[in-house]
Amino acid sequence: MPRIPVFLLFIPFFSVTLWALPSSEELHAPVQQLTPETMEPILELFKADSEGRMLLARARKKAKLESDAALINIISFCGGADLGSHGQRRGLFTQEVANFYRQKGDQEWIALNPDGAEKWADPETYVVVDQRRRNNRSFEFLDVAFRPQICVKAGLSVMQTYLVLYHELIHLVGLDPFADVDLLQLDGWHDREAFYSKQLTKEGGEVDAFVAQIHAYQRLRKRYPLTDTFILEGFLNKRTLPLRNRQAFCDHLLEEANYATELDMHLEEQVHFQYNRAYAWWDYYGKRLTALDEQLAKLDHNIEVMRRREWVAKQNGDEEARKANRRERASWEQKRRLNRSKYTIFARERDEHREFMAILDTRFPAE
């Protein structure tokens, strides 16, 4: 009997998740309050989009959130005080950072921010999401970033709230909470164009956020009968922002979206903040140098006392006392050397802060 070959057919099984996307009516319904229930259709829009799901995952990781639903914990409606000079904005991303320092060898951290220590001591309310350590010749520094917050303008529709959150989450996942403006890379107040460009085009900055927001809206148009377009879409070539259009894109943000005014304020704040910080350290080092000089006078006195006692012991033939006084004198001399070494380091640090302030005075004179 002939053998009949048996072919086993393997049919791959694909697990498909279907999201309950909001209807067109729900898409345009106003978000009256921010609750887990009202956030559901907004989260469904994220989850139904592959890039949106990836953005949520990155945001969860960076903000240390347990789930997508926990996003509600960092979102609120913006009040007038929140938006302040950002009156035209529909959303705002903020993140607080506390700064600490300690002398090398010390155990206790000292807060530079008035309320930094209080927040760091309350991890349930102020969740720490990132830390950075640095040091100079004599001090260690610790920067602590707390869980960020996002506010959205009240009265927006589900779709508008989704797009605003998409924009702000790009800031959350892309921005470095510890990045200072590098003022030494600018030639002065007149170099604002370079400052504008660096700020708008940095990773997680406004260009990244707006382009991602536009793409999210374009993908929505494939699911819903939407006819409106973003003005900024005209700068895109299909899905990309060509290099030749980047400056025009930034110019539109600066002029039409009023980012120039906001960035002007940010630059002034950075100049004042960094100048005052340098002055505070310059003043601190000056006081420490004075204290070291006062300590030096006492060390010199103690060394001279031990030298005289050593001489007296030698004259009296008391070899044991002479050796004891010599050992103690050597101990005081070692403390003196440490004093002078620390003085040299502190003086160098103080001079560097003074030089930084001198540069800022020259490049960014008071207007």
Side-chain angles (χ1 to χ4, degrees):
M1 181 176 180
R3 293 182 179 179
I4 301 175
V6 177
F7 298 96
L8 298 179
L9 180 62
F10 291 93
I11 301 176
F13 175 76
F14 296 97
S15 176
V16 179
T17 303
L18 298 177
W19 284 275
L21 281 172
S23 65
S24 293
E25 292 73 20
E26 291 174 314
L27 192 71
H28 297 288
V31 179
Q32 303 288 1
Q33 54 185 339
L34 291 171
T35 65
E37 291 71 30
T38 60
M39 282 293 295
E40 281 185 12
I42 298 169
L43 289 176
E44 293 302 333
L45 291 173
F46 276 101
K47 293 175 183 178
D49 174 62
S50 61
E51 294 188 39
R53 292 196 299 274
M54 186 181 300
L55 180 59
L56 278 183
R58 294 175 64 197
R60 281 201 318 270
K61 182 177 179 181
K62 192 165 183 182
K64 293 189 176 179
L65 297 168
E66 309 81 38
S67 64
D68 292 336
L71 196 68
I72 188 69
N73 296 328
I74 67 170
I75 299 173
S76 62
F77 282 137
C78 298
D82 293 320
L83 292 174
S85 62
H86 316 283
Q88 298 178 338
R89 292 283 197 87
R90 291 187 169 189
L92 194 63
F93 167 81
T94 57
Q95 185 166 27
E96 294 187 50
V97 175
N99 310 105
F100 303 87
Y101 74 95
R102 66 185 179 190
Q103 194 166 335
K104 288 183 177 178
D106 289 351
Q107 297 298 315
E108 296 293 327
W109 290 102
I110 301 172
L112 286 169
N113 318 61
D115 57 352
E118 294 180 10
K119 290 180 178 177
W120 198 21
D122 185 6
E124 291 188 5
T125 305
Y126 300 96
V127 178
V128 174
V129 296
D130 201 1
Q131 296 186 20
R132 178 185 67 172
R133 287 201 183 197
R134 334 170 254 122
N135 59 76
N136 61 18
R137 300 176 187 90
S138 49
F139 287 92
E140 294 179 287
F141 300 90
L142 174 66
D143 303 315
V144 177
F146 300 109
R147 178 176 285 166
Q149 295 293 315
I150 293 172
C151 75
V152 295
K153 195 171 184 178
L156 300 180
S157 67
V158 167
M159 179 186 71
Q160 291 169 330
T161 303
Y162 161 69
L163 293 174
V164 169
L165 286 179
Y166 209 104
H167 180 112
E168 303 306 333
L169 288 181
I170 293 295
H171 290 323
L172 189 155
V173 302
L175 290 176
D176 178 359
F178 307 122
D180 270 344
V181 174
D182 189 351
L183 297 175
L184 299 185
Q185 293 296 314
L186 300 173
D187 290 333
W189 297 117
H190 61 278
D191 201 16
R192 292 180 191 268
E193 292 301 323
F195 173 69
Y196 294 157
S197 179
K198 290 179 185 294
Q199 290 298 302
L200 291 176
T201 60
K202 65 185 178 182
E203 184 177 358
E206 295 303 333
V207 170
D208 282 355
F210 273 108
V211 170
Q213 186 180 23
I214 292 169
H215 289 162
Y217 181 65
Q218 289 173 334
R219 294 192 294 274
L220 271 185
R221 285 208 298 253
K222 295 178 180 179
R223 296 189 174 95
Y224 295 94
L226 305 173
T227 56
D228 292 338
T229 60
F230 269 93
I231 295 176
L232 290 170
E233 280 187 79
F235 295 98
L236 271 60
N237 179 6
K238 294 184 179 179
R239 285 184 52 80
T240 62
L241 176 62
L243 186 61
R244 65 178 180 273
N245 291 350
R246 185 172 290 267
Q247 188 57 53
F249 192 96
C250 291
D251 289 342
H252 183 90
L253 294 179
L254 291 169
E255 296 167 12
E256 301 301 325
N258 202 32
Y259 277 90
T261 300
E262 179 180 328
L263 288 173
D264 284 343
M265 293 174 58
H266 183 50
L267 178 58
E268 291 176 10
E269 289 170 357
Q270 279 290 305
V271 171
H272 289 300
F273 168 71
Q274 294 191 37
Y275 188 95
N276 289 338
R277 181 176 60 187
Y279 177 83
W281 277 108
W282 174 82
D283 182 62
Y284 173 84
Y285 281 119
K287 292 176 180 177
R288 293 299 302 269
L289 291 172
T290 299
L292 286 172
D293 277 336
E294 293 173 353
Q295 184 188 54
L296 178 66
K298 296 177 182 179
L299 292 171
D300 285 341
H301 172 74
N302 291 340
I303 290 170
E304 184 58 29
V305 169
M306 290 302 103
R307 184 177 286 113
R308 290 175 182 174
R309 289 181 179 177
E310 186 181 346
W311 182 84
V312 170
K314 182 179 180 180
Q315 295 301 312
N316 293 336
D318 189 345
E319 185 63 18
E320 186 175 342
R322 186 184 74 82
K323 289 181 179 180
N325 289 325
R326 186 174 185 176
R327 285 194 299 270
E328 189 168 353
R329 175 168 64 86
S331 175
W332 288 114
E333 287 174 343
Q334 173 63 16
K335 292 178 181 178
R336 176 193 167 105
R337 284 191 293 272
L338 291 174
N339 175 288
R340 289 300 86 186
S341 175
K342 190 176 294 185
Y343 188 96
T344 300
I345 292 173
F346 283 6
R348 192 177 303 166
E349 295 285 351
R350 183 190 60 174
D351 290 344
E352 288 177 0
H353 288 294
R354 181 174 58 192
E355 290 169 8
F356 179 75
M357 288 188 290
I359 293 173
L360 293 189
D361 280 332
T362 301
R363 297 189 187 182
F364 301 94
E367 294 183 327

